Structure formats: structure tokens, C-alpha cells
Amino acid sequence: MSISSVSNSGFNNPDFNSSSPSNCTGFAPGHNIHWIHGRRLQGWEHWADVAVTADPQLDLIYLVIDGQQQLMWFHNVGAVATALEAAVDTPQWCQRYSTLMVPGGFGSEARSSFFYLARPERVLPCNGSPVRAPESERLEKPGS
């Protein structure tokens, strides 16, 4: 997949600010993509092909990047699985912003192509109130 196809594959979708159809209001890793996060992804060119398996029963996502397996978590693993079933091209991974992009996922019942994943040690469950990443882990401002 080329960089141009990545940057045109879903950033204009109207649901980009909401990674899943849940009522979660969190923007920490494992939850929704905030619009600022989305803007940074628009210009990001360092995406890597990734093999992905989403297991809703275990509540885990498995990424295989360059032969290395990583366990990840998302607050709605079923949405990731649904998006993967509808994928029209190879999923892409952005390590810097911990974001999985699934081309064609927006056209599925998941209604999203982008998922902000968390490592298991960074899981913060949805609790009905806004969930934010700790100050030390928030995305830095461009140019800093």
C-alpha cells in the first residue's frame, strides 16, 4: 500500500473522531481518537504493513510487525474484528501514534478505519466519564 493511499483512505470520513460506536468518551490509548490525534495522523508518512488478529473473546488484539508479535488492547475489540473482516487492503500500523488503520473499516458496521490501541500495561477501562492519557504520555505539540 502506498503512502498516498493511506492518507486518502479514511481521514475524510465523518466518524474519524469516534473510533467505535460505543458511548465511551475517552481519548487515552485504547479509546477514541481525538481530533488533534487525527490531524497528526493526516500528515504522518511512517505507516507499516501489519498482520492483525482481533480476538473479542480474549479482549486482545495481536499485531505482527516485522516478525515481532505485540499484544494490544482496544475498548471495543469487536469493532476492530468487524473492521478487519471488511478490510479492502493490508492494515497499516503507526508506531509513533499507536494507531491501527484498516482500509475499508469505515464501510463496515464498525464505522471506523482508525483505532487508537493500547499496550496491555496502559489499559484504562471505560467508566462513563472522560478518560485521558496521563499528562506525561500525551502527544507532544508539533515542533517540540
Side-chain angles (χ1 to χ4, degrees):
M1 175 181 284
S2 70
I3 296 302
S4 61
S5 64
V6 168
S7 58
N8 292 324
S9 61
F11 286 108
N12 295 323
N13 80 46
D15 194 44
F16 185 77
N17 294 335
S18 173
S19 295
S20 77
S22 75
N23 292 327
C24 176
T25 58
F27 295 108
H31 300 276
N32 301 307
I33 293 178
H34 191 275
W35 69 269
I36 295 171
H37 184 150
R39 291 278 245 181
R40 292 196 175 132
L41 288 170
Q42 281 183 325
W44 193 248
E45 296 180 358
H46 302 286
W47 293 87
D49 287 351
V50 63
V52 185
T53 302
D55 189 334
Q57 291 181 338
L58 294 177
D59 205 27
L60 289 172
I61 298 163
Y62 306 89
L63 303 179
V64 179
I65 307 164
D66 297 327
Q68 298 289 324
Q69 182 174 337
Q70 293 181 7
L71 286 176
M72 303 299 281
W73 179 84
F74 186 69
H75 69 147
N76 186 346
V77 176
V80 177
T82 299
L84 289 169
E85 289 173 7
V88 296
D89 207 341
T90 305
Q92 300 282 298
W93 175 245
C94 175
Q95 179 71 35
R96 180 170 184 177
Y97 295 115
S98 193
T99 302
L100 175 67
M101 191 272 298
V102 181
F106 184 72
S108 72
E109 288 186 28
R111 303 295 294 154
S112 185
S113 292
F114 297 89
F115 302 93
Y116 187 17
L117 304 183
R119 293 182 311 272
E121 67 271 12
R122 294 183 68 196
V123 169
L124 297 171
C126 304
N127 62 10
S129 61
V131 179
R132 296 186 67 193
E135 186 74 35
S136 63
E137 296 182 9
R138 293 189 190 153
L139 301 174
E140 72 270 1
K141 295 177 182 172
S144 60

PDB file of all heavy atoms in Angstrom, residues 15-35 37-38 73-76 99 112 114-117 126 129-131:
ATOM      1  N   ASP A  15     -16.787  10.000  10.762  1.00  0.00           N
ATOM      2  CA  ASP A  15     -16.721   9.371  12.073  1.00  0.00           C
ATOM      3  C   ASP A  15     -15.295   9.278  12.593  1.00  0.00           C
ATOM      4  O   ASP A  15     -15.022   8.590  13.542  1.00  0.00           O
ATOM      5  CB  ASP A  15     -17.334   7.966  11.991  1.00  0.00           C
ATOM      6  CG  ASP A  15     -17.604   7.381  13.370  1.00  0.00           C
ATOM      7  OD1 ASP A  15     -18.123   8.119  14.232  1.00  0.00           O
ATOM      8  OD2 ASP A  15     -17.286   6.205  13.568  1.00  0.00           O
ATOM      9  N   PHE A  16     -14.360   9.999  11.974  1.00  0.00           N
ATOM     10  CA  PHE A  16     -12.953   9.853  12.329  1.00  0.00           C
ATOM     11  C   PHE A  16     -12.698  10.146  13.790  1.00  0.00           C
ATOM     12  O   PHE A  16     -11.850   9.543  14.415  1.00  0.00           O
ATOM     13  CB  PHE A  16     -12.093  10.764  11.460  1.00  0.00           C
ATOM     14  CG  PHE A  16     -10.628  10.555  11.703  1.00  0.00           C
ATOM     15  CD1 PHE A  16      -9.983   9.453  11.169  1.00  0.00           C
ATOM     16  CD2 PHE A  16      -9.907  11.421  12.487  1.00  0.00           C
ATOM     17  CE1 PHE A  16      -8.652   9.247  11.401  1.00  0.00           C
ATOM     18  CE2 PHE A  16      -8.576  11.210  12.727  1.00  0.00           C
ATOM     19  CZ  PHE A  16      -7.939  10.125  12.180  1.00  0.00           C
ATOM     20  N   ASN A  17     -13.438  11.057  14.401  1.00  0.00           N
ATOM     21  CA  ASN A  17     -13.204  11.413  15.797  1.00  0.00           C
ATOM     22  C   ASN A  17     -13.770  10.392  16.762  1.00  0.00           C
ATOM     23  O   ASN A  17     -13.607  10.516  17.950  1.00  0.00           O
ATOM     24  CB  ASN A  17     -13.817  12.775  16.114  1.00  0.00           C
ATOM     25  CG  ASN A  17     -13.117  13.868  15.348  1.00  0.00           C
ATOM     26  OD1 ASN A  17     -11.967  13.726  14.981  1.00  0.00           O
ATOM     27  ND2 ASN A  17     -13.811  14.948  15.102  1.00  0.00           N
ATOM     28  N   SER A  18     -14.447   9.384  16.279  1.00  0.00           N
ATOM     29  CA  SER A  18     -15.047   8.386  17.154  1.00  0.00           C
ATOM     30  C   SER A  18     -14.649   7.011  16.674  1.00  0.00           C
ATOM     31  O   SER A  18     -15.158   6.531  15.685  1.00  0.00           O
ATOM     32  CB  SER A  18     -16.569   8.539  17.135  1.00  0.00           C
ATOM     33  OG  SER A  18     -17.166   7.501  17.839  1.00  0.00           O
ATOM     34  N   SER A  19     -13.721   6.368  17.364  1.00  0.00           N
ATOM     35  CA  SER A  19     -13.176   5.102  16.905  1.00  0.00           C
ATOM     36  C   SER A  19     -14.144   3.944  16.970  1.00  0.00           C
ATOM     37  O   SER A  19     -13.928   2.934  16.348  1.00  0.00           O
ATOM     38  CB  SER A  19     -11.943   4.749  17.729  1.00  0.00           C
ATOM     39  OG  SER A  19     -10.944   5.685  17.506  1.00  0.00           O
ATOM     40  N   SER A  20     -15.184   4.044  17.753  1.00  0.00           N
ATOM     41  CA  SER A  20     -16.121   2.933  17.838  1.00  0.00           C
ATOM     42  C   SER A  20     -17.514   3.467  18.112  1.00  0.00           C
ATOM     43  O   SER A  20     -17.689   4.609  18.512  1.00  0.00           O
ATOM     44  CB  SER A  20     -15.703   1.969  18.947  1.00  0.00           C
ATOM     45  OG  SER A  20     -16.046   2.509  20.195  1.00  0.00           O
ATOM     46  N   PRO A  21     -18.512   2.638  17.891  1.00  0.00           N
ATOM     47  CA  PRO A  21     -19.874   3.099  18.102  1.00  0.00           C
ATOM     48  C   PRO A  21     -20.287   3.119  19.574  1.00  0.00           C
ATOM     49  O   PRO A  21     -21.424   3.383  19.894  1.00  0.00           O
ATOM     50  CB  PRO A  21     -20.703   2.078  17.323  1.00  0.00           C
ATOM     51  CG  PRO A  21     -19.881   0.839  17.325  1.00  0.00           C
ATOM     52  CD  PRO A  21     -18.454   1.306  17.322  1.00  0.00           C
ATOM     53  N   SER A  22     -19.379   2.863  20.494  1.00  0.00           N
ATOM     54  CA  SER A  22     -19.726   2.838  21.914  1.00  0.00           C
ATOM     55  C   SER A  22     -19.961   4.249  22.435  1.00  0.00           C
ATOM     56  O   SER A  22     -19.703   5.232  21.766  1.00  0.00           O
ATOM     57  CB  SER A  22     -18.617   2.169  22.716  1.00  0.00           C
ATOM     58  OG  SER A  22     -17.515   3.037  22.843  1.00  0.00           O
ATOM     59  N   ASN A  23     -20.410   4.343  23.674  1.00  0.00           N
ATOM     60  CA  ASN A  23     -20.638   5.639  24.310  1.00  0.00           C
ATOM     61  C   ASN A  23     -19.411   6.116  25.071  1.00  0.00           C
ATOM     62  O   ASN A  23     -19.501   7.060  25.838  1.00  0.00           O
ATOM     63  CB  ASN A  23     -21.843   5.554  25.252  1.00  0.00           C
ATOM     64  CG  ASN A  23     -23.121   5.349  24.484  1.00  0.00           C
ATOM     65  OD1 ASN A  23     -23.265   5.846  23.374  1.00  0.00           O
ATOM     66  ND2 ASN A  23     -24.040   4.615  25.069  1.00  0.00           N
ATOM     67  N   CYS A  24     -18.287   5.477  24.900  1.00  0.00           N
ATOM     68  CA  CYS A  24     -17.062   5.865  25.582  1.00  0.00           C
ATOM     69  C   CYS A  24     -16.672   7.278  25.159  1.00  0.00           C
ATOM     70  O   CYS A  24     -16.742   7.627  23.986  1.00  0.00           O
ATOM     71  CB  CYS A  24     -15.944   4.893  25.237  1.00  0.00           C
ATOM     72  SG  CYS A  24     -14.349   5.346  25.957  1.00  0.00           S
ATOM     73  N   THR A  25     -16.247   8.075  26.126  1.00  0.00           N
ATOM     74  CA  THR A  25     -15.827   9.441  25.835  1.00  0.00           C
ATOM     75  C   THR A  25     -14.320   9.609  26.024  1.00  0.00           C
ATOM     76  O   THR A  25     -13.826  10.729  26.031  1.00  0.00           O
ATOM     77  CB  THR A  25     -16.563  10.440  26.754  1.00  0.00           C
ATOM     78  OG1 THR A  25     -16.289  10.089  28.115  1.00  0.00           O
ATOM     79  CG2 THR A  25     -18.052  10.425  26.494  1.00  0.00           C
ATOM     80  N   GLY A  26     -13.603   8.500  26.183  1.00  0.00           N
ATOM     81  CA  GLY A  26     -12.173   8.566  26.460  1.00  0.00           C
ATOM     82  C   GLY A  26     -11.316   8.816  25.242  1.00  0.00           C
ATOM     83  O   GLY A  26     -11.644   8.418  24.128  1.00  0.00           O
ATOM     84  N   PHE A  27     -10.180   9.475  25.471  1.00  0.00           N
ATOM     85  CA  PHE A  27      -9.196   9.725  24.417  1.00  0.00           C
ATOM     86  C   PHE A  27      -7.823   9.180  24.782  1.00  0.00           C
ATOM     87  O   PHE A  27      -6.842   9.518  24.163  1.00  0.00           O
ATOM     88  CB  PHE A  27      -9.103  11.231  24.124  1.00  0.00           C
ATOM     89  CG  PHE A  27     -10.371  11.791  23.564  1.00  0.00           C
ATOM     90  CD1 PHE A  27     -11.172  12.615  24.325  1.00  0.00           C
ATOM     91  CD2 PHE A  27     -10.778  11.461  22.281  1.00  0.00           C
ATOM     92  CE1 PHE A  27     -12.362  13.120  23.820  1.00  0.00           C
ATOM     93  CE2 PHE A  27     -11.951  11.956  21.769  1.00  0.00           C
ATOM     94  CZ  PHE A  27     -12.758  12.792  22.534  1.00  0.00           C
ATOM     95  N   ALA A  28      -7.755   8.344  25.781  1.00  0.00           N
ATOM     96  CA  ALA A  28      -6.498   7.702  26.160  1.00  0.00           C
ATOM     97  C   ALA A  28      -6.245   6.536  25.203  1.00  0.00           C
ATOM     98  O   ALA A  28      -7.153   6.103  24.497  1.00  0.00           O
ATOM     99  CB  ALA A  28      -6.593   7.190  27.599  1.00  0.00           C
ATOM    100  N   PRO A  29      -5.009   6.013  25.174  1.00  0.00           N
ATOM    101  CA  PRO A  29      -4.760   4.838  24.338  1.00  0.00           C
ATOM    102  C   PRO A  29      -5.763   3.731  24.667  1.00  0.00           C
ATOM    103  O   PRO A  29      -6.082   3.488  25.828  1.00  0.00           O
ATOM    104  CB  PRO A  29      -3.337   4.428  24.728  1.00  0.00           C
ATOM    105  CG  PRO A  29      -2.701   5.708  25.167  1.00  0.00           C
ATOM    106  CD  PRO A  29      -3.800   6.464  25.867  1.00  0.00           C
ATOM    107  N   GLY A  30      -6.289   3.104  23.618  1.00  0.00           N
ATOM    108  CA  GLY A  30      -7.288   2.057  23.784  1.00  0.00           C
ATOM    109  C   GLY A  30      -8.700   2.587  23.639  1.00  0.00           C
ATOM    110  O   GLY A  30      -9.656   1.823  23.695  1.00  0.00           O
ATOM    111  N   HIS A  31      -8.836   3.892  23.458  1.00  0.00           N
ATOM    112  CA  HIS A  31     -10.158   4.509  23.362  1.00  0.00           C
ATOM    113  C   HIS A  31     -10.274   5.278  22.047  1.00  0.00           C
ATOM    114  O   HIS A  31      -9.712   4.866  21.057  1.00  0.00           O
ATOM    115  CB  HIS A  31     -10.408   5.388  24.591  1.00  0.00           C
ATOM    116  CG  HIS A  31     -10.367   4.609  25.865  1.00  0.00           C
ATOM    117  ND1 HIS A  31     -11.458   3.907  26.349  1.00  0.00           N
ATOM    118  CD2 HIS A  31      -9.356   4.358  26.732  1.00  0.00           C
ATOM    119  CE1 HIS A  31     -11.120   3.280  27.455  1.00  0.00           C
ATOM    120  NE2 HIS A  31      -9.843   3.540  27.716  1.00  0.00           N
ATOM    121  N   ASN A  32     -10.960   6.369  22.035  1.00  0.00           N
ATOM    122  CA  ASN A  32     -11.248   7.124  20.817  1.00  0.00           C
ATOM    123  C   ASN A  32     -10.069   7.978  20.362  1.00  0.00           C
ATOM    124  O   ASN A  32      -9.218   8.370  21.150  1.00  0.00           O
ATOM    125  CB  ASN A  32     -12.463   8.028  21.056  1.00  0.00           C
ATOM    126  CG  ASN A  32     -13.665   7.229  21.453  1.00  0.00           C
ATOM    127  OD1 ASN A  32     -14.044   6.293  20.768  1.00  0.00           O
ATOM    128  ND2 ASN A  32     -14.263   7.568  22.587  1.00  0.00           N
ATOM    129  N   ILE A  33     -10.075   8.274  19.072  1.00  0.00           N
ATOM    130  CA  ILE A  33      -9.071   9.165  18.508  1.00  0.00           C
ATOM    131  C   ILE A  33      -9.604  10.587  18.610  1.00  0.00           C
ATOM    132  O   ILE A  33     -10.659  10.905  18.069  1.00  0.00           O
ATOM    133  CB  ILE A  33      -8.767   8.798  17.041  1.00  0.00           C
ATOM    134  CG1 ILE A  33      -8.077   7.438  16.995  1.00  0.00           C
ATOM    135  CG2 ILE A  33      -7.918   9.868  16.385  1.00  0.00           C
ATOM    136  CD1 ILE A  33      -7.759   6.943  15.605  1.00  0.00           C
ATOM    137  N   HIS A  34      -8.871  11.434  19.311  1.00  0.00           N
ATOM    138  CA  HIS A  34      -9.222  12.848  19.438  1.00  0.00           C
ATOM    139  C   HIS A  34      -8.912  13.534  18.103  1.00  0.00           C
ATOM    140  O   HIS A  34      -8.043  13.099  17.352  1.00  0.00           O
ATOM    141  CB  HIS A  34      -8.391  13.464  20.569  1.00  0.00           C
ATOM    142  CG  HIS A  34      -8.823  14.822  20.977  1.00  0.00           C
ATOM    143  ND1 HIS A  34      -8.398  15.948  20.323  1.00  0.00           N
ATOM    144  CD2 HIS A  34      -9.646  15.232  21.968  1.00  0.00           C
ATOM    145  CE1 HIS A  34      -8.934  17.009  20.900  1.00  0.00           C
ATOM    146  NE2 HIS A  34      -9.701  16.599  21.900  1.00  0.00           N
ATOM    147  N   TRP A  35      -9.578  14.625  17.800  1.00  0.00           N
ATOM    148  CA  TRP A  35      -9.351  15.305  16.524  1.00  0.00           C
ATOM    149  C   TRP A  35      -7.907  15.782  16.381  1.00  0.00           C
ATOM    150  O   TRP A  35      -7.360  15.808  15.274  1.00  0.00           O
ATOM    151  CB  TRP A  35     -10.344  16.446  16.303  1.00  0.00           C
ATOM    152  CG  TRP A  35     -10.158  17.633  17.213  1.00  0.00           C
ATOM    153  CD1 TRP A  35     -10.741  17.837  18.429  1.00  0.00           C
ATOM    154  CD2 TRP A  35      -9.331  18.773  16.971  1.00  0.00           C
ATOM    155  NE1 TRP A  35     -10.319  19.030  18.967  1.00  0.00           N
ATOM    156  CE2 TRP A  35      -9.457  19.635  18.087  1.00  0.00           C
ATOM    157  CE3 TRP A  35      -8.499  19.150  15.922  1.00  0.00           C
ATOM    158  CZ2 TRP A  35      -8.788  20.838  18.177  1.00  0.00           C
ATOM    159  CZ3 TRP A  35      -7.825  20.361  16.019  1.00  0.00           C
ATOM    160  CH2 TRP A  35      -7.974  21.196  17.128  1.00  0.00           C
ATOM    161  N   HIS A  37      -5.243  14.212  17.535  1.00  0.00           N
ATOM    162  CA  HIS A  37      -4.552  12.974  17.161  1.00  0.00           C
ATOM    163  C   HIS A  37      -4.767  12.713  15.666  1.00  0.00           C
ATOM    164  O   HIS A  37      -3.830  12.399  14.927  1.00  0.00           O
ATOM    165  CB  HIS A  37      -5.126  11.847  18.013  1.00  0.00           C
ATOM    166  CG  HIS A  37      -4.481  10.510  17.850  1.00  0.00           C
ATOM    167  ND1 HIS A  37      -4.438   9.617  18.876  1.00  0.00           N
ATOM    168  CD2 HIS A  37      -3.899   9.886  16.817  1.00  0.00           C
ATOM    169  CE1 HIS A  37      -3.847   8.508  18.480  1.00  0.00           C
ATOM    170  NE2 HIS A  37      -3.518   8.643  17.225  1.00  0.00           N
ATOM    171  N   GLY A  38      -6.007  12.851  15.222  1.00  0.00           N
ATOM    172  CA  GLY A  38      -6.335  12.637  13.812  1.00  0.00           C
ATOM    173  C   GLY A  38      -5.592  13.578  12.889  1.00  0.00           C
ATOM    174  O   GLY A  38      -5.120  13.181  11.825  1.00  0.00           O
ATOM    175  N   TRP A  73      -4.625  -3.650  23.128  1.00  0.00           N
ATOM    176  CA  TRP A  73      -5.984  -3.622  23.659  1.00  0.00           C
ATOM    177  C   TRP A  73      -6.727  -2.429  23.074  1.00  0.00           C
ATOM    178  O   TRP A  73      -6.146  -1.380  22.809  1.00  0.00           O
ATOM    179  CB  TRP A  73      -5.941  -3.519  25.179  1.00  0.00           C
ATOM    180  CG  TRP A  73      -7.288  -3.470  25.821  1.00  0.00           C
ATOM    181  CD1 TRP A  73      -8.072  -4.527  26.151  1.00  0.00           C
ATOM    182  CD2 TRP A  73      -8.021  -2.301  26.216  1.00  0.00           C
ATOM    183  NE1 TRP A  73      -9.249  -4.092  26.729  1.00  0.00           N
ATOM    184  CE2 TRP A  73      -9.238  -2.721  26.782  1.00  0.00           C
ATOM    185  CE3 TRP A  73      -7.759  -0.935  26.139  1.00  0.00           C
ATOM    186  CZ2 TRP A  73     -10.184  -1.841  27.267  1.00  0.00           C
ATOM    187  CZ3 TRP A  73      -8.705  -0.045  26.629  1.00  0.00           C
ATOM    188  CH2 TRP A  73      -9.910  -0.517  27.189  1.00  0.00           C
ATOM    189  N   PHE A  74      -8.038  -2.623  22.887  1.00  0.00           N
ATOM    190  CA  PHE A  74      -8.928  -1.550  22.461  1.00  0.00           C
ATOM    191  C   PHE A  74     -10.240  -1.764  23.194  1.00  0.00           C
ATOM    192  O   PHE A  74     -10.652  -2.901  23.414  1.00  0.00           O
ATOM    193  CB  PHE A  74      -9.144  -1.590  20.938  1.00  0.00           C
ATOM    194  CG  PHE A  74      -9.931  -0.437  20.401  1.00  0.00           C
ATOM    195  CD1 PHE A  74      -9.408   0.843  20.397  1.00  0.00           C
ATOM    196  CD2 PHE A  74     -11.208  -0.632  19.925  1.00  0.00           C
ATOM    197  CE1 PHE A  74     -10.149   1.912  19.910  1.00  0.00           C
ATOM    198  CE2 PHE A  74     -11.962   0.428  19.436  1.00  0.00           C
ATOM    199  CZ  PHE A  74     -11.431   1.704  19.432  1.00  0.00           C
ATOM    200  N   HIS A  75     -10.909  -0.707  23.579  1.00  0.00           N
ATOM    201  CA  HIS A  75     -12.119  -0.818  24.400  1.00  0.00           C
ATOM    202  C   HIS A  75     -13.265  -1.539  23.716  1.00  0.00           C
ATOM    203  O   HIS A  75     -14.210  -1.944  24.382  1.00  0.00           O
ATOM    204  CB  HIS A  75     -12.569   0.565  24.883  1.00  0.00           C
ATOM    205  CG  HIS A  75     -13.083   1.461  23.811  1.00  0.00           C
ATOM    206  ND1 HIS A  75     -14.078   2.368  24.023  1.00  0.00           N
ATOM    207  CD2 HIS A  75     -12.743   1.602  22.515  1.00  0.00           C
ATOM    208  CE1 HIS A  75     -14.328   3.035  22.912  1.00  0.00           C
ATOM    209  NE2 HIS A  75     -13.513   2.588  21.990  1.00  0.00           N
ATOM    210  N   ASN A  76     -13.186  -1.714  22.413  1.00  0.00           N
ATOM    211  CA  ASN A  76     -14.215  -2.437  21.676  1.00  0.00           C
ATOM    212  C   ASN A  76     -13.524  -3.333  20.650  1.00  0.00           C
ATOM    213  O   ASN A  76     -13.481  -3.004  19.469  1.00  0.00           O
ATOM    214  CB  ASN A  76     -15.180  -1.449  21.010  1.00  0.00           C
ATOM    215  CG  ASN A  76     -16.356  -2.137  20.361  1.00  0.00           C
ATOM    216  OD1 ASN A  76     -16.367  -3.351  20.170  1.00  0.00           O
ATOM    217  ND2 ASN A  76     -17.359  -1.359  20.004  1.00  0.00           N
ATOM    218  N   THR A  99      -1.547   3.743  16.394  1.00  0.00           N
ATOM    219  CA  THR A  99      -2.808   3.735  15.661  1.00  0.00           C
ATOM    220  C   THR A  99      -2.811   2.662  14.574  1.00  0.00           C
ATOM    221  O   THR A  99      -1.881   2.571  13.780  1.00  0.00           O
ATOM    222  CB  THR A  99      -3.072   5.108  15.022  1.00  0.00           C
ATOM    223  OG1 THR A  99      -3.078   6.089  16.069  1.00  0.00           O
ATOM    224  CG2 THR A  99      -4.392   5.145  14.291  1.00  0.00           C
ATOM    225  N   SER A 112     -15.510   2.665  11.425  1.00  0.00           N
ATOM    226  CA  SER A 112     -14.231   3.329  11.636  1.00  0.00           C
ATOM    227  C   SER A 112     -13.122   2.562  10.937  1.00  0.00           C
ATOM    228  O   SER A 112     -13.163   1.341  10.857  1.00  0.00           O
ATOM    229  CB  SER A 112     -13.913   3.444  13.118  1.00  0.00           C
ATOM    230  OG  SER A 112     -12.724   4.189  13.296  1.00  0.00           O
ATOM    231  N   PHE A 114      -9.889   3.696  11.849  1.00  0.00           N
ATOM    232  CA  PHE A 114      -8.772   4.036  12.710  1.00  0.00           C
ATOM    233  C   PHE A 114      -9.048   3.647  14.151  1.00  0.00           C
ATOM    234  O   PHE A 114     -10.114   3.934  14.688  1.00  0.00           O
ATOM    235  CB  PHE A 114      -8.493   5.547  12.631  1.00  0.00           C
ATOM    236  CG  PHE A 114      -8.081   5.972  11.258  1.00  0.00           C
ATOM    237  CD1 PHE A 114      -9.029   6.350  10.335  1.00  0.00           C
ATOM    238  CD2 PHE A 114      -6.750   5.966  10.884  1.00  0.00           C
ATOM    239  CE1 PHE A 114      -8.665   6.726   9.055  1.00  0.00           C
ATOM    240  CE2 PHE A 114      -6.376   6.332   9.602  1.00  0.00           C
ATOM    241  CZ  PHE A 114      -7.327   6.712   8.690  1.00  0.00           C
ATOM    242  N   PHE A 115      -8.043   3.011  14.781  1.00  0.00           N
ATOM    243  CA  PHE A 115      -8.183   2.531  16.141  1.00  0.00           C
ATOM    244  C   PHE A 115      -6.920   2.884  16.925  1.00  0.00           C
ATOM    245  O   PHE A 115      -5.817   2.514  16.527  1.00  0.00           O
ATOM    246  CB  PHE A 115      -8.412   1.013  16.140  1.00  0.00           C
ATOM    247  CG  PHE A 115      -9.625   0.614  15.349  1.00  0.00           C
ATOM    248  CD1 PHE A 115      -9.514   0.260  14.011  1.00  0.00           C
ATOM    249  CD2 PHE A 115     -10.885   0.633  15.931  1.00  0.00           C
ATOM    250  CE1 PHE A 115     -10.634  -0.082  13.265  1.00  0.00           C
ATOM    251  CE2 PHE A 115     -12.009   0.298  15.195  1.00  0.00           C
ATOM    252  CZ  PHE A 115     -11.889  -0.064  13.861  1.00  0.00           C
ATOM    253  N   TYR A 116      -7.094   3.602  18.028  1.00  0.00           N
ATOM    254  CA  TYR A 116      -6.005   4.032  18.899  1.00  0.00           C
ATOM    255  C   TYR A 116      -5.784   2.921  19.917  1.00  0.00           C
ATOM    256  O   TYR A 116      -6.539   2.780  20.875  1.00  0.00           O
ATOM    257  CB  TYR A 116      -6.435   5.332  19.570  1.00  0.00           C
ATOM    258  CG  TYR A 116      -5.424   6.074  20.408  1.00  0.00           C
ATOM    259  CD1 TYR A 116      -4.051   5.831  20.322  1.00  0.00           C
ATOM    260  CD2 TYR A 116      -5.861   7.053  21.284  1.00  0.00           C
ATOM    261  CE1 TYR A 116      -3.155   6.543  21.087  1.00  0.00           C
ATOM    262  CE2 TYR A 116      -4.965   7.778  22.058  1.00  0.00           C
ATOM    263  CZ  TYR A 116      -3.619   7.517  21.954  1.00  0.00           C
ATOM    264  OH  TYR A 116      -2.731   8.228  22.724  1.00  0.00           O
ATOM    265  N   LEU A 117      -4.758   2.106  19.712  1.00  0.00           N
ATOM    266  CA  LEU A 117      -4.547   0.914  20.523  1.00  0.00           C
ATOM    267  C   LEU A 117      -3.642   1.188  21.720  1.00  0.00           C
ATOM    268  O   LEU A 117      -2.804   2.087  21.687  1.00  0.00           O
ATOM    269  CB  LEU A 117      -3.941  -0.202  19.667  1.00  0.00           C
ATOM    270  CG  LEU A 117      -4.721  -0.587  18.407  1.00  0.00           C
ATOM    271  CD1 LEU A 117      -4.031  -1.752  17.701  1.00  0.00           C
ATOM    272  CD2 LEU A 117      -6.164  -0.917  18.724  1.00  0.00           C
ATOM    273  N   CYS A 126     -13.141   1.973  30.250  1.00  0.00           N
ATOM    274  CA  CYS A 126     -14.180   2.990  30.073  1.00  0.00           C
ATOM    275  C   CYS A 126     -14.970   3.045  31.379  1.00  0.00           C
ATOM    276  O   CYS A 126     -15.286   2.024  31.958  1.00  0.00           O
ATOM    277  CB  CYS A 126     -15.132   2.614  28.954  1.00  0.00           C
ATOM    278  SG  CYS A 126     -14.340   2.312  27.369  1.00  0.00           S
ATOM    279  N   SER A 129     -17.004   8.482  32.286  1.00  0.00           N
ATOM    280  CA  SER A 129     -16.518   9.854  32.333  1.00  0.00           C
ATOM    281  C   SER A 129     -15.322   9.968  31.393  1.00  0.00           C
ATOM    282  O   SER A 129     -14.746   8.965  30.989  1.00  0.00           O
ATOM    283  CB  SER A 129     -16.111  10.219  33.766  1.00  0.00           C
ATOM    284  OG  SER A 129     -15.080   9.377  34.207  1.00  0.00           O
ATOM    285  N   PRO A 130     -14.950  11.187  31.028  1.00  0.00           N
ATOM    286  CA  PRO A 130     -13.823  11.327  30.097  1.00  0.00           C
ATOM    287  C   PRO A 130     -12.566  10.634  30.622  1.00  0.00           C
ATOM    288  O   PRO A 130     -12.216  10.757  31.788  1.00  0.00           O
ATOM    289  CB  PRO A 130     -13.618  12.843  30.017  1.00  0.00           C
ATOM    290  CG  PRO A 130     -14.952  13.414  30.361  1.00  0.00           C
ATOM    291  CD  PRO A 130     -15.534  12.464  31.386  1.00  0.00           C
ATOM    292  N   VAL A 131     -11.930   9.875  29.735  1.00  0.00           N
ATOM    293  CA  VAL A 131     -10.690   9.178  30.059  1.00  0.00           C
ATOM    294  C   VAL A 131      -9.605   9.832  29.214  1.00  0.00           C
ATOM    295  O   VAL A 131      -9.728   9.920  28.001  1.00  0.00           O
ATOM    296  CB  VAL A 131     -10.783   7.673  29.708  1.00  0.00           C
ATOM    297  CG1 VAL A 131      -9.481   6.963  30.014  1.00  0.00           C
ATOM    298  CG2 VAL A 131     -11.938   7.020  30.441  1.00  0.00           C
TER     299      VAL A 131
END
